[in-house]
Amino acid sequence: MAKAKKIHVTVWNEGRHEKTNKKVAKIYPKGMHAVIAQALNRQKDIEARTATLDEPKHGLTDSVLRNTNVLIWWGHMAHHEVDDEIVEKIKARVYEGMGLICLHSAHMSKIFTRLMGTICMLKWREAGEREILWVTKPGHPIVEGIDDHFILPKTEMYGEHFDIPEPDEQIFISSFEGGEVFRSGCTWQRGNGRIFYFRPGHETYPIYYDKNVQLVITNGVRWAAPAYGRPHAYGHREVGWIEKRARKTRK
Ligand code: ZN
């Protein structure tokens, strides 16, 4: 099956900082998810909806998950409140081919750590430092339209070592004012699903309004969208099944 005409995206946000921190609420009055979804909905080939932690089933019912081609995840203070049953359903959908983009502090989310199989810890400091994101994979679809680097004037610092499995592709490395570096854009494949981790997005800075950040997320959606309509089939095969299948296709 060819790629669907529109890529259906669900932007998931924990949505708690926006409710409890006035500074965050001022930057993102409707939540970070609304800003990300709005940017995606400006694209003709993308249709984005949102879901948040406090909705029933966290806004991720079976039908929402079934109809999501790419899921974007932002979480921080309430990772532990995400229902394990829903996490397992998301994981199964990734194995079937749903794309997953984990943003910023989603490095500690249940879904990301379970898919990675490692601790996913890092060093951090919140001091409004400048971050330079350097492109380490020129020509990759995720960096289409991005110069060889871009700058975020004020961010939270994330530093190595980042305890992730070796990425399939290294898209960005960040350097910070204080001297640390960080693998801020990485991809993996799990089953049929493509996963992109993208670091920017601390809630007290207006990072999701940044044009380069929005472009990388948009490119990431197109890259992570499933290319095939059917997951790979596993399991027992009887003697002669290849011939039988060939006869069937010849008919
Ligand atoms: Zn943060």
Side-chain angles (χ1 to χ4, degrees):
M1 201 187 289
K3 273 194 182 186
K5 277 199 180 116
K6 283 225 182 204
I7 303 168
H8 294 275
V9 178
T10 302
V11 183
W12 191 89
N13 181 16
E14 172 187 288
R16 289 285 173 81
H17 289 292
E18 292 94 329
K19 289 179 186 167
T20 54
N21 182 330
K22 276 184 189 153
K23 194 175 167 188
V24 180
K26 206 176 163 195
I27 302 169
Y28 296 108
K30 290 179 182 167
M32 285 179 268
H33 52 292
V35 173
I36 296 168
Q38 199 177 34
L40 291 172
N41 278 326
R42 281 198 293 268
Q43 306 297 318
K44 281 196 183 100
D45 58 334
I46 297 174
E47 199 173 284
R49 50 174 294 161
T50 63
T52 54
L53 179 68
D54 291 332
E55 292 169 47
K57 292 194 182 281
H58 312 322
L60 300 172
T61 59
D62 290 355
S63 95
V64 167
L65 283 177
R66 206 169 36 244
N67 293 306
T68 298
N69 302 126
V70 179
L71 178 65
I72 297 179
W73 197 269
W74 198 102
H76 181 225
M77 61 192 284
H79 292 317
H80 61 284
E81 289 183 47
V82 179
D83 190 330
D84 287 318
E85 205 184 313
I86 292 169
V87 175
E88 286 307 311
K89 283 179 178 177
I90 298 168
K91 200 172 136 188
R93 281 286 295 127
V94 170
Y95 273 84
E96 275 178 7
M98 181 180 75
L100 177 69
I101 299 178
C102 289
L103 298 172
H104 190 61
S105 41
H107 70 92
M108 284 303 283
S109 63
K110 284 183 181 177
I111 186 59
F112 187 68
T113 54
R114 284 182 198 183
L115 284 163
M116 295 297 111
T118 55
I119 297 163
C120 301
M121 268 302 284
L122 44 78
K123 297 183 179 68
W124 61 275
R125 169 175 62 244
E126 204 187 324
E129 290 167 77
R130 183 208 60 206
E131 173 180 8
I132 307 179
L133 289 101
W134 292 98
V135 172
T136 52
K137 194 94 182 153
H140 193 281
I142 290 179
V143 291
E144 197 180 316
I146 299 285
D147 198 356
D148 63 354
H149 74 281
F150 70 92
I151 299 172
L152 295 172
K154 277 187 177 186
T155 61
E156 177 187 23
M157 184 283 290
Y158 275 9
E160 295 284 344
H161 175 241
F162 183 19
D163 179 37
I164 44 172
E166 206 62 45
D168 295 344
E169 297 168 310
Q170 189 67 61
I171 311 292
F172 290 105
I173 284 181
S174 287
S175 66
F176 294 88
E177 230 170 314
E180 289 89 349
V181 295
F182 189 76
R183 288 169 288 170
S184 50
C186 305
T187 75
W188 299 265
Q189 178 145 344
R190 292 289 183 270
N192 294 281
R194 288 177 164 187
I195 302 165
F196 174 41
Y197 173 78
F198 187 46
R199 192 209 87 87
H202 186 68
E203 67 277 3
T204 57
Y205 306 111
I207 283 167
Y208 293 120
Y209 293 97
D210 182 273
K211 291 293 165 222
N212 285 307
V213 169
Q214 290 186 355
L215 180 55
V216 171
I217 294 172
T218 305
N219 289 340
V221 162
R222 293 192 181 115
W223 170 83
Y228 304 99
R230 227 179 359 190
H232 185 83
Y234 296 96
H236 174 260
R237 290 293 180 278
E238 65 200 33
V239 173
W241 76 275
I242 299 173
E243 269 311 303
K244 228 181 253 174
R245 172 96 41 104
R247 275 198 298 278
K248 225 184 194 171
T249 18
R250 274 198 297 269
K251 270 177 201 165

